[in-house]
Amino acid sequence: MAWFILLLAGLLEIAWAFFMKQSEGFTQPVPTAITIVLMMASFILLSISMKTLPLSSAYAVWTGVGSAGAFLVGVAVLGEAATPMRMLAAVFIIAGIAMMKLSSSS
């Protein structure tokens, strides 16, 4: 269950990163409010997952899901560049997340 909660926290991290971009430096009230709510929810879920998961695994997976997911949203939704080097970097992040999960005892 902790891994599911952690995954959900990572998905919320992707969402708040997207809305932070939409907030245009916190100058747009609605995206700013959504960003803050999603950040809080993401942090709360991360902290819940860390009750049973090791810090090193939980934090690395949380940031990795957020990083890779934000990259994918940037490319798919915002039209950001999907160069071969950036794609390879995303693959490495995802591979790292998988290795953290496989190597964790929890």
Side-chain angles (χ1 to χ4, degrees), residues 21-32:
K21 175 74 171 168
Q22 301 307 303
S23 78
E24 298 178 13
F26 297 122
T27 61
Q28 302 298 313
V30 172
T32 296

Side-chain angles (χ1 to χ4, degrees), residues 19-79:
F19 281 101
M20 183 184 292
K21 175 74 171 168
Q22 301 307 303
S23 78
E24 298 178 13
F26 297 122
T27 61
Q28 302 298 313
V30 172
T32 296
I34 293 170
T35 300
I36 292 167
V37 168
L38 291 173
M39 280 180 167
M40 290 172 32
S42 181
F43 277 104
I44 289 167
L45 291 175
L46 173 63
S47 71
I48 291 169
S49 74
M50 291 173 78
K51 288 180 179 179
T52 55
L53 297 176
L55 166 67
S56 57
S57 297
Y59 189 74
V61 168
W62 180 69
T63 58
V65 168
S67 297
F71 167 74
L72 293 174
V73 168
V75 169
V77 177
L78 302 175

